[in-house]
Amino acid sequence: MNLWVVLAVNSITLGGLLFLLSAGFSLIFGLMKIPNLTHGSFFMLGAYLATSLIAHGFDFWTAAILGGLLVAALGGIVERLILRRLVGAELAQVLVTLGLSFMIADVCLLVWTGDPIRIATPAALRGATSVMGLGFPTYRLAISLIAVVFAVLLWMLLDRTRLGAMIRAGVDDPAMARVVGIRVSRLFTIVFCLGAWLAGFAGVIGGPILSVYPGLDQEMLPLALVVVILGGSGSLVGSLVGSFVVGFLYNFGQAMFPELAYVVLFLPMLVVLVVRPQGLFGRQAV
Amino acid sequence: MRRLALAAALAILGTVPWWIGGTYYINIASQILFYAIFALGVNVLAGYAGLVSLGHAGLFGIAAYAGARIMNDGHGQLVVAAGALGVTLLVSAAFAVLALRGTGLGFVMITVALGQIVWGVAYRWISITNGDNGIAIRGRPSPLGLSLTTPASFYWATFVVFLLAVGSMAVFVASPFGASVRGTRDQPLRMNALGYHVWMIRFLAFLFSGFWSGVAGLLYLYYNQFVSPQAVALTASAEALLMVIAGGTATLLGPIAGAALVVVVKNVASAYIERWNFVLGAIFVVIVVFMPEGLVPGTVRRWRRALAALRPRPTAAG
């Protein structure tokens, strides 16, 4: 198969994973103004938890959902017990989430050792599917499909439900949202758990492609940061576009300028910062 | 009283190699000093300017990498130092232009991203940085013909640079420029209305901060005679920030005490337990949640309260 097609498919796959990761990050950042530096750790922890769940006889999809739920539970505890005390103290939030990410990484190293673990691709999705005469790896197509489904679900949640309207109100003007009787603090917990679940879930379904290894958290976090800076915080469309831009840049950058992959990745971010600091789809300055 | 304390501190620090007992401890003392310089540099932004940078290990590391490259190209020591600091200042300027597009959280995010770019280059751009293997240098320089090969002589050289750094910080804090930096932290809009160029003040503070981070990076290179991507990792930026926060932001003494705390805990902890990163993370969480003002201001406050409790109370007598 043509190299460019392979790269394009890989880019879309990575874009899909990044969307799942960064949609939550972006919502948390947009609504709660918390730069959640544990988000990469949630991704990695979800994947690690799933490897153990699968080893205990769960099938892949159950493990993905359960792994995500465990991560979401941890996220809820962190939000309720620690972040709740630090509302408005940005520096403190940065430090606490960073500190937690170090602790999670170290615990993962202790529990799952330093060797990379590959999550087996679910049996039904192995092999290749032929589309328009070209063979594509089925699992990668499935990830792209999952990302699209989640994009639609999240859009419906935010745009079509009462909860979504409350979240949007919280993003736009938390003080006024409180005045009209929205319990913003409960929204915080819901959004934080949802974001954590998406990150953990993304980690699991990314497992068959990326595998899980120490340092995965620190590798994914900057990608999520770039997506949010590119797309603008709190914007779902921004996350979607940003994710695919980053997915393409990362894969093509690595293929064409392997030594400068990181620079290629961050250049458009810098351009956006200079031209439009609130991000492509953001409404206010970060 | 203050002068006495200062003189005593100078005497104690200046004679460390004679009484501390053993090269291992002298080396730890040297580490404390150059990390203190780094923390003082970070404190200019995080403390006085209210701009929290999580990319300063990038500047620290760039000075070390630039120094190593220039030295291995066979240049003299003066060229190495001047070149490394020059490169660091240029990169600081570029970082500042980009990072100052945002304040608050935006600034943090951008500095994280910039720091990760430096890490990516250090790790991947193998033809320049030798990747994961890092770059080793031939040996320490000998300024004015004095050899720095022994731990004690290196300590004293670091101590001189440390005094310069502390002196420059003291001058900075007391200067009108220092006051205007604090002004841009507390009341950027009013400063602007008063006719101060807020952006330029922050930019200059960034350069000042970057300069001392670079000096610390160069000392790090001389100390280890080696630099690898580990020096520019996010963990390294976080450690520097921890030193500032632990000691107390926007104080002169805080970052120094914080550097001492982190270096000592790191060396002690890694001697007994493998899980230094866990300890680091836990210290972060505990300090932020329970002692948000930092150890030095927190202790000073308690000390004052204790003194006040000892004195007889004049209010009752009138």
Side-chain angles (χ1 to χ4, degrees):
Chain A
M1 192 162 60
N2 189 323
L3 172 73
W4 301 112
V5 180
V6 175
L7 278 177
V9 171
N10 288 354
S11 306
I12 293 173
T13 315
L14 182 63
L17 281 180
L18 280 178
F19 171 71
L20 292 178
L21 179 69
S22 59
F25 186 85
S26 175
L27 276 180
I28 292 171
F29 191 45
L31 177 68
M32 306 164 73
K33 310 284 178 276
I34 290 179
N36 179 27
L37 298 185
T38 44
H39 221 68
S41 317
F42 287 161
F43 184 89
M44 180 172 78
L45 186 63
Y48 269 129
L49 287 169
T51 62
S52 293
L53 288 170
I54 290 170
H56 281 84
F58 288 92
D59 78 318
F60 179 82
W61 298 109
T62 319
I65 291 167
L66 269 183
L69 282 176
L70 289 172
V71 174
L74 176 71
I77 293 170
V78 167
E79 201 278 325
R80 278 276 155 184
L81 289 188
I82 299 177
L83 293 175
R84 182 52 52 93
R85 295 158 162 249
L86 305 172
V87 173
E90 295 166 352
L91 174 59
Q93 292 164 350
V94 169
L95 292 174
V96 160
T97 53
L98 193 66
L100 286 170
S101 81
F102 290 164
M103 293 167 79
I104 293 174
D106 223 30
V107 169
C108 286
L109 189 61
L110 189 68
V111 175
W112 287 282
T113 73
D115 296 325
I117 306 176
R118 197 170 167 274
I119 298 176
T121 312
L125 297 175
R126 282 179 200 153
T129 308
S130 132
V131 180
M132 291 186 293
L134 291 167
F136 292 101
T138 312
Y139 186 68
R140 286 179 184 267
L141 291 182
I143 289 187
S144 316
L145 194 68
I146 292 171
V148 171
V149 169
F150 270 99
V152 173
L153 284 178
L154 281 173
W155 172 76
M156 278 168 48
L157 173 75
L158 286 176
D159 221 61
R160 289 282 180 270
T161 66
R162 190 178 158 76
L163 178 66
M166 295 200 294
I167 292 175
R168 277 182 287 130
V171 171
D172 283 347
D173 193 337
M176 195 51 88
R178 279 207 175 85
V179 170
V180 298
I182 295 171
R183 288 178 61 183
V184 177
S185 88
R186 200 173 55 186
L187 281 187
F188 280 10
T189 312
I190 293 173
V191 166
F192 203 84
C193 289
L194 178 68
W197 185 85
L198 284 170
F201 180 75
V204 185
I205 66 167
I209 303 172
L210 303 168
S211 48
V212 206
Y213 49 90
L216 180 65
D217 51 345
Q218 305 261 354
E219 220 164 291
M220 296 309 283
L221 179 67
L223 297 184
L225 274 178
V226 177
V227 168
V228 173
I229 293 175
L230 268 181
S233 65
S235 157
L236 203 60
V237 184
S239 302
L240 193 64
V241 174
S243 299
F244 286 105
V245 170
V246 171
F248 273 88
L249 283 173
Y250 194 66
N251 278 295
F252 280 84
Q254 250 178 353
M256 292 157 76
F257 320 96
E259 296 198 313
L260 289 175
Y262 250 73
V263 181
V264 173
L265 182 64
F266 285 94
L267 271 183
M269 179 197 89
L270 299 181
V271 173
V272 167
L273 277 175
V274 172
V275 181
R276 204 179 145 80
Q278 72 270 45
L280 292 176
F281 296 89
R283 269 170 294 181
Q284 55 188 15
V286 180
Chain B
M1 181 68 191
R2 272 183 88 92
R3 281 200 189 149
L4 213 64
L6 195 67
L10 275 179
I12 292 172
L13 285 176
T15 54
V16 159
W18 289 323
W19 53 262
I20 202 163
T23 50
Y24 174 74
Y25 297 103
I26 299 177
N27 279 333
I28 287 189
S30 303
Q31 283 186 43
I32 290 176
L33 288 186
F34 65 73
Y35 276 116
I37 297 172
F38 187 23
L40 284 168
V42 173
N43 187 36
V44 171
L45 281 184
Y48 296 111
L51 298 165
V52 178
S53 163
L54 269 174
H56 257 55
L59 301 173
F60 179 88
I62 278 171
Y65 268 106
R69 288 280 305 182
I70 298 171
M71 194 184 283
N72 287 348
D73 284 346
H75 293 285
Q77 295 304 336
L78 218 57
V79 181
V80 171
L85 294 179
V87 170
T88 312
L89 276 179
L90 281 179
V91 176
S92 300
F95 274 28
V97 168
L98 292 166
L100 288 175
R101 296 293 296 180
T103 51
L105 286 183
F107 186 86
V108 178
M109 299 283 191
I110 298 167
T111 51
V112 169
L114 288 170
Q116 289 301 104
I117 295 183
V118 175
W119 179 84
V121 168
Y123 191 65
R124 293 262 175 78
W125 201 343
I126 294 166
S127 52
I128 289 199
T129 60
N130 206 17
D132 212 9
N133 294 326
I135 305 179
I137 58 170
R138 292 187 311 267
R140 290 173 184 164
S142 17
L144 311 173
L146 304 165
S147 165
L148 298 185
T149 41
T150 66
S153 59
F154 185 78
Y155 174 83
W156 277 310
T158 314
F159 184 58
V160 170
V161 182
F162 169 77
L163 288 182
L164 288 175
V166 174
S168 79
M169 289 297 156
V171 171
F172 160 76
V173 171
S175 71
F177 176 63
S180 61
V181 168
R182 289 193 296 278
T184 60
R185 172 193 66 192
D186 298 331
Q187 294 289 351
L189 291 178
R190 278 188 208 175
M191 288 296 284
N192 198 20
L194 286 171
Y196 288 91
H197 195 322
V198 172
W199 189 90
M200 185 52 77
I201 290 169
R202 286 178 172 155
F203 179 77
L204 291 175
F206 201 115
L207 285 190
F208 186 52
S209 164
F211 174 78
W212 284 112
S213 306
V215 170
L218 204 55
L219 287 169
Y220 169 91
L221 173 74
Y222 291 152
Y223 173 80
N224 288 305
Q225 302 176 38
F226 175 72
V227 58
S228 72
Q230 216 195 333
V232 298
L234 182 59
T235 325
S237 290
E239 266 175 37
L241 201 55
L242 175 64
M243 292 171 190
V244 176
I245 308 284
T249 52
T251 58
L252 200 56
L253 210 55
I256 302 170
L261 175 84
V262 171
V263 171
V264 168
V265 171
K266 194 172 171 177
N267 280 284
V268 173
S270 56
Y272 293 99
I273 50 170
E274 235 176 287
R275 314 247 76 90
W276 157 243
N277 271 333
F278 188 88
V279 177
L280 176 71
I283 294 177
F284 255 133
V285 175
V286 168
I287 285 184
V288 168
V289 175
F290 296 106
M291 215 175 193
E293 78 236 89
L295 296 178
V296 171
T299 317
V300 167
R301 183 167 52 87
R302 301 235 156 92
W303 178 247
R304 286 217 176 111
R305 197 179 290 165
L307 278 185
L310 283 178
R311 279 193 206 114
R313 301 197 175 183
T315 45

